[in-house]
Amino acid sequence: MGRLGVFPFFKEAGVDLVPYETRCIWRRFEPNEVLVDFDDASTDVYFLATGEVRILNRTQSGKEVILGEMRGGEFFGELAAIDGVSRSANVTALTRGELCVVPAPVFRQIVFAAPPIADRLLRLLAKRVRALNSRLMEHAVLDLRHRLYAELLRLSSPRMGSDGERVVSPPPYHHVLAARIGCRREQVTREFTVMAQEGLVDRTRGALILRRPDLLEARVAEALREDG
């Protein structure tokens, strides 16, 4: 199967991946290392074996908007490999890790040679478009408070042993949440104070606990209905 086969995207590809692997490069990266920057002309696709990276965009005034994070098993850079246009986002390492750099011609050859992989790529692109559409809708119609609710729900996962509660671990920094929802850190801090007073959140050393995610979901849904 070779090393490319460790990535979910390439598993059960239906083609021999070994000939392609000799044209790929494996390399390690360090925390805060810029892997891809705005307007880079490169077209490689980056598959994360280990580590975590952050993807963000930046306005002309220098304001940064965090689009998300990726971990081992995921990949980025496929848009440039598809259309050849310069990079539209910055990708910076949050931790130490290792990745596989797949040149655009190699990536395209594998996609065209393997229908299962082509199907995965189409589904992944559709998923990302839907996610971006949801975030665009939130930014267009929701106020700061409800955007924060929606983002916390998106970042959270069910809390083991506590029925109905959800958890964000590790707990997000306020300035990171602000960059995600398009506001200032101080505004996020104020909203957390209100949420804590209402018993909606509880912060521990290792996690942010959402005590009433059902109520947060209901408030977001109601805000969307009221706008409509």
Side-chain angles (χ1 to χ4, degrees):
M1 180 173 64
R3 294 193 73 186
L4 283 180
V6 304
F7 298 106
F9 183 75
F10 290 119
K11 285 188 175 179
E12 299 179 1
V15 296
D16 183 9
L17 296 173
V18 175
Y20 300 103
E21 293 183 350
T22 59
R23 300 162 62 189
C24 301
I25 300 173
W26 287 77
R27 73 178 186 85
R28 299 182 183 278
F29 56 85
E30 298 296 322
N32 300 315
E33 180 178 342
V34 175
L35 304 176
V36 169
D37 208 355
F38 305 98
D39 293 328
D40 280 355
S42 64
T43 57
D44 298 328
V45 185
Y46 297 80
F47 285 80
L48 289 168
T50 59
E52 184 175 358
V53 302
R54 172 167 291 151
I55 304 165
L56 56 85
N57 214 326
R58 185 180 296 125
T59 67
Q60 291 184 345
S61 64
K63 181 179 180 181
E64 294 183 345
V65 178
I66 295 175
L67 302 179
E69 286 82 28
M70 288 189 177
R71 297 175 176 83
E74 299 182 277
F75 65 94
F76 58 90
E78 73 283 351
L79 293 184
I82 292 171
D83 61 17
V85 176
S86 59
R87 305 291 187 180
S88 58
N90 168 285
V91 182
T92 299
L94 295 176
T95 67
R96 180 178 293 107
E98 185 180 23
L99 55 75
C100 179
V101 182
V102 181
V106 176
F107 180 77
R108 293 170 63 90
Q109 287 169 17
I110 297 175
V111 169
F112 290 137
I117 290 182
D119 182 70
R120 288 171 200 164
L121 179 60
L122 290 173
R123 290 178 180 275
L124 176 67
L125 293 175
K127 179 181 178 181
R128 291 182 179 175
V129 169
R130 292 181 189 278
L132 287 173
N133 284 345
S134 295
R135 292 190 66 173
L136 178 62
M137 177 64 71
E138 290 171 6
H139 278 264
V141 304
L142 295 180
D143 59 17
L144 160 66
R145 175 167 296 175
H146 292 90
R147 293 202 309 273
L148 179 59
Y149 292 168
E151 189 65 24
L152 290 174
L153 290 167
R154 190 162 31 243
L155 292 172
S156 67
S157 58
R159 188 185 184 199
M160 297 294 292
S162 298
D163 188 36
E165 295 183 345
R166 297 181 68 84
V167 62
V168 184
S169 181
Y173 292 108
H174 289 188
H175 73 274
V176 171
L177 286 171
R180 283 179 172 274
I181 65 175
C183 69
R184 299 190 305 276
R185 177 184 59 80
E186 295 81 6
Q187 293 174 295
V188 170
T189 300
R190 285 196 295 269
E191 291 301 327
F192 267 108
T193 299
V194 174
M195 293 174 68
Q197 291 171 347
E198 294 183 15
L200 298 176
V201 297
D202 187 15
R203 191 182 184 97
T204 66
R205 188 171 68 174
L208 177 70
I209 302 169
L210 305 185
R211 297 293 188 188
R212 292 292 310 278
D214 57 331
L215 181 55
L216 298 182
E217 291 173 351
R219 289 181 176 181
V220 171
E222 179 63 24
L224 289 171
R225 285 196 297 270
E226 288 179 355
D227 183 84

